């Protein structure tokens, strides 16, 4: 059932090419590190980036993607509405979507959430401790009761998203804030997971626990061969009285 | 606290002026019937319609509206995006929103839900029985364990909305379908209630139970003087270690 | 991951031995039919029944059970509290639990729900149509948008359970009622699914769609190797300021 | 509607009489301080304590109580099962219940939750910051985006309760933990709110924000004159086909 999940890891891929501090951690882009971790877990993974034609997300690519992973930050506005609409339709039709870190402000996440997805932030020296609050949920497989990231950008409440269907993680930050860091949603037939960590100036996606969560989330978000959804004008199923 | 809720009842107000069958039930529009019921319950109610300037929903009107009620059907596409955006911001800021019947396909509801809001339908002779599944919820005040509508348009599952935060009603239809007929959501600081009944060719909004639900929903959705939401770059609350 | 799920199908197994009408459908008990369906799907399945020592649910049996299926009706009161407690602890520790039909009134389900689990019922000639309201959920795999059972006992709202974390199915009954027929819960690390159909005088558990749902639910409810839960007095993780 | 809510504040009332450190803050018991705050807000409030006959919770007292507040700690085991059952039935029938701090381990809360309600704790010098994550919820009325308690007992995750229907507050602790500090539930027709703060050795219930939350919660949890719930054997509502 979970044998051949096909993932496309989408990355804006601008910071890595412009900022040596970022390139140091991700010489070939964050997407390459994430895709490599997925492959090692036996998951089919390819990548796509903003500056490719159609952002690398042609209809054909999406039609053969079970789970799409999304990282964006400085160029959300450059993502074409047509591609956003294409991704949106695929999510409603069952494709899983994992939105990472600053992807909270992406067009696709905001469209699916129906809110601003705004939050507090601080690029500093915060220490983050990510607590599991839904032990037993598939996304927590193999984790301890919490894991830590020595240095990360802080994201704080209020996080303007609908209440998660399942809240999996809550972050503690040394600067005094908390954040709902792992949040599950369903839209149409598609499963969506938002996962907080991953500021570009830190080597966060090299961390085993972070990779583990992404791998677990891919498995959780993979499509179910589920009932087709029928809409529109229909005849009665029962005889009229 | 609930003493002076100010409601604006918005109606497309086209069917009533074009179709004598509709005008028979609602000579002055559905909005007038709903507003009258609210007033009788001690709630401040005014109306606004599509063909007024800015659809009657100026910034000033919205700023002095606690709860907005929305009925639309044949002219969803004529609602200006600028007005939709204005309503959207007010909902996130705390204004309650009650979406009635065919308003499921309105721009504002789709934007807030993040889904297509599509469904099955049949204009026929269906008998509808609306079951309370959340007794104790404020929206059920004064109702029995179910209420009936002799003839209504059928709406059937699958209803493409996010899983309600609270599911209050489920409809049974004589033609064989079910529908999640009363659904509560929160977006930002705003409370949203979708309520199914109200096809224009039936006198549904004259029914006491239907009016009762709308009155209850207005009280439930009225804004709470709640914490301002602070977003953006912030300083640490705790000293750095 | 889902390769070797170990299921124990527990059945009261009294109706089948006392009532020829029931025995006709289930000469070796409902548990045997369900276990056979699971085995055919590649799932390890054994059975246990009320009149075995310790109801067949020794600590050892439970410790080697990933998912427990429960059918009971006329003898809920005969289930020993000690065994109920044992099952309860295993659920909190991660064992999946699937409660069928009249199991709604079992000691274990009531204890886990925290409510009476009462409902309406009618043993008659109701026709049931079970609608999927969460397409995309793993428990709906391979189903159509609804499936039907020609004759079943009616269960009607209000069903006194906490609001499901995920509502998967809603039943339509020809007698005029609706029911939340497929409901997911989490308690501790354990996943719980309540599934309505299965009155003993009908051959319900022979039906392919019903078997399909039970198989899907077993896969969904199988334990995740999830974080141990740590409780009690702890030392600070951060230095005192 | 909210004009005459009748509250009973129940307190174990042992610590205050045995421990001078506690008595210093609460010479007449925590219940007296809470009841006084409620009265000042125009709410009818009386008190009841463990060592009164029937713990002060006779059928008559409960029948005239709209919302019951519960604080217990060292003597949970001394609360008679008969009284617990009486409270339980009243909650299912619509009485609101607010469980404070160490009341998480009370018989009534565990019975209603269906879980152990266990958690981590530390009696130390933790600083607590309680963040609002559901702005717009009635329980947040009049608060800021967070409030602080200089010194409190720490409660940490994992908190073994079902996922809250609405999560209102998350606590940050200086020692490194987080906690779901304000959690809403429904059981039967009754609304339940768990609120974390209130260790007996600190003057927590004298704090204006803490009192404010309790007042808001009382208003939120007050019963709705809701549909009676009908259970058992029923006749069809529709003619047999």
């Amino acid at each position: 059932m979970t044998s051949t999940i096909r993932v496309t890891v989408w990355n804006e891929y601008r910071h890595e090419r412009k900022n040596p501090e970022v390139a140091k951690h991700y010489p070939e882009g964050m997407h390459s590190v994430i895709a490599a971790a997925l492959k090692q877990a036996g998951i089919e993974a390819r990548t796509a980036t903003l500056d490719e034609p159609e952002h690398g997300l042609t209809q054909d690519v999406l039609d053969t993607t079970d789970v799409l992973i999304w990282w964006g930050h400085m160029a959300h506005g450059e993502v074409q509405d047509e591609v956003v609409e294409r991704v949106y339709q695929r999510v409603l039709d069952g494709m899983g979507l994992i939105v990472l870190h600053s992807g909270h402000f992406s067009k696709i996440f905001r469209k699916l959430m129906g809110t601003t997805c705004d939050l507090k932030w601080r690029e500093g020296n915060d220490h983050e401790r990510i607590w599991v609050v839904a032990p037993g949920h598939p996304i927590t497989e193999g984790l301890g009761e919490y894991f830590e990231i020595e240095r990360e950008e802080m994201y704080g409440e209020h996080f303007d998203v609908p209440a998660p269907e399942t809240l999996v993680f809550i972050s503690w930050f040394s600067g005094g804030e908390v954040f709902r860091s792992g949040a599950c949603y369903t839209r149409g037939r598609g499963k969506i997971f938002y996962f907080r960590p991953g500021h570009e100036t830190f080597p966060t996606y090299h961390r085993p626990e972070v990779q583990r969560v992404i791998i677990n989330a891919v498995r959780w978000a993979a499509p179910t061969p589920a009932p087709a959804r029928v809409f529109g004008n229909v005849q009665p199923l029962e005889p009229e009285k």
Side-chain angles (χ1 to χ4, degrees), chain A residues 63-200:
Chain A
D63 284 347
T64 53
T65 295
D66 293 316
V67 180
L68 178 66
I69 297 179
W70 193 279
W71 196 101
H73 182 216
M74 64 196 293
H76 290 312
E78 292 182 43
V79 179
Q80 298 163 41
D81 290 342
E82 193 192 329
V83 174
V84 173
E85 183 63 27
R86 205 183 279 163
V87 172
Y88 179 70
Q89 292 301 336
R90 276 288 295 144
V91 170
L92 296 183
D93 198 43
M95 183 182 72
L97 178 69
I98 298 171
V99 175
L100 297 175
H101 191 64
S102 45
H104 74 90
F105 254 164
S106 61
K107 289 181 178 177
I108 183 62
F109 191 57
R110 296 172 73 162
K111 186 175 173 72
L112 285 161
M113 293 295 103
T115 54
T116 68
C117 304
D118 209 345
L119 45 74
K120 283 195 185 66
W121 56 273
R122 178 171 58 242
E123 287 188 67
N125 287 310
D126 271 280
H127 179 78
E128 178 175 16
R129 184 176 294 106
I130 299 180
W131 287 92
V132 171
V133 295
H137 192 281
I139 290 179
T140 68
E141 183 172 338
L143 299 175
E145 57 167 348
Y146 65 82
F147 61 95
E148 300 187 78
I149 304 180
E150 291 88 32
R151 288 288 173 270
E152 249 292 353
E153 183 180 16
M154 184 282 294
Y155 276 10
E157 295 286 343
H158 179 60
F159 184 19
D160 182 24
V161 286
E165 292 169 26
T166 309
L167 178 62
V168 180
F169 301 121
I170 297 176
S171 286
W172 178 99
F173 287 98
S174 52
E177 291 87 359
V178 296
F179 194 76
R180 290 170 292 169
S181 276
C184 298
Y185 297 92
T186 309
R187 292 290 180 271
R189 304 200 294 181
K191 300 179 197 78
I192 300 167
F193 183 63
Y194 175 79
F195 186 43
R196 199 213 75 81
H199 192 57
E200 66 274 5

Side-chain angles (χ1 to χ4, degrees), chain A residues 51-67:
Chain A
D51 292 322
E52 297 175 36
E54 303 186 48
H55 313 321
L57 299 174
T58 60
Q59 190 66 53
D60 183 62
V61 164
L62 289 174
D63 284 347
T64 53
T65 295
D66 293 316
V67 180

